[in-house]
Amino acid sequence: MTVQVHLRSDEMVVATPTLKLFEGSDCRSNDLDGQAQGVQQGVMPGKNTRFNWQMSAQNGEVGSDDYTRANFSVKQDGSTGIGLGRPAEPSNVVASRDSADPTRVNVEWSDPATDETHFEIFNSTLRQAKGAPKDSTSFVWTGLPLGKQCFQVRAVNANGASDFTPVNPKSECV
């Protein structure tokens, strides 16, 4: 069995398995009797997490009952924080000023990532960043000057950071 695995430029890991049946008494035989090509599948960070293959190849010669089978999986393991690539970027970022204390801004987002180690909240007005723990969906930035403040959020893991959301650093402002 061979499995070709490659990382595409969009950070998808693509696996293409091939199972071959050779006739012979040792592993150096080149007498190919049967072959099966598995369906190419891809795993995208923060999206699909596992693909399973069940493959079999049998001898094509009349009267031969030789066959082989193989089962295997490719999975994204976010439990280690390493995963297969950068995490998925947050979505739906909304900033709102605290009505009781205008020096506090609550930044909220949706978290589609499954393998982030933490989040970075960037104040593009002040050009400062602060961190929030994994699985967070909000952060309160305190001690801000009055006036317009703009925010972006991105997820981070051992392989790097996602893109910022929103893309335009001046689009989510309060």
Side-chain angles (χ1 to χ4, degrees), residues 36-139:
Q37 183 74 39
V39 176
Q40 185 179 68
Q41 297 282 348
V43 178
M44 193 71 171
K47 309 279 190 234
N48 304 324
T49 58
R50 183 183 194 105
F51 286 106
N52 300 308
W53 284 268
Q54 293 182 341
M55 300 175 64
S56 63
Q58 59 189 26
N59 189 332
E61 296 175 0
V62 176
S64 175
D65 59 358
D66 293 338
Y67 69 93
T68 187
R69 291 186 185 133
N71 300 324
F72 75 100
S73 301
V74 172
K75 77 174 194 166
Q76 175 182 357
D77 184 3
S79 64
T80 63
I82 295 173
L84 296 173
R86 299 179 311 152
E89 65 268 6
S91 60
N92 306 318
V93 173
V94 175
S96 57
R97 201 172 283 279
D98 187 325
S99 60
D101 182 355
T103 67
R104 295 169 53 99
V105 171
N106 186 38
V107 182
E108 297 181 32
W109 61 89
S110 297
D111 174 17
T114 59
D115 58 350
E116 78 275 5
T117 57
H118 66 282
F119 288 92
E120 287 181 0
I121 299 86
F122 184 67
N123 181 322
S124 60
T125 305
L126 300 177
R127 307 214 34 83
Q128 294 178 355
K130 295 194 177 186
K134 71 177 188 169
D135 299 327
S136 298
T137 57
S138 68
F139 178 82

Side-chain angles (χ1 to χ4, degrees), residues 9 16 103 111 165:
S9 62
T16 308
T103 67
D111 174 17
T165 302

Side-chain angles (χ1 to χ4, degrees), residues 8 13 17 23 36 39 44 57 66 104 111 145 149 157 161 173:
R8 295 188 338 192
V13 174
E23 185 174 339
V39 176
M44 193 71 171
D66 293 338
R104 295 169 53 99
D111 174 17
Q149 300 292 314
N157 70 14
C173 303

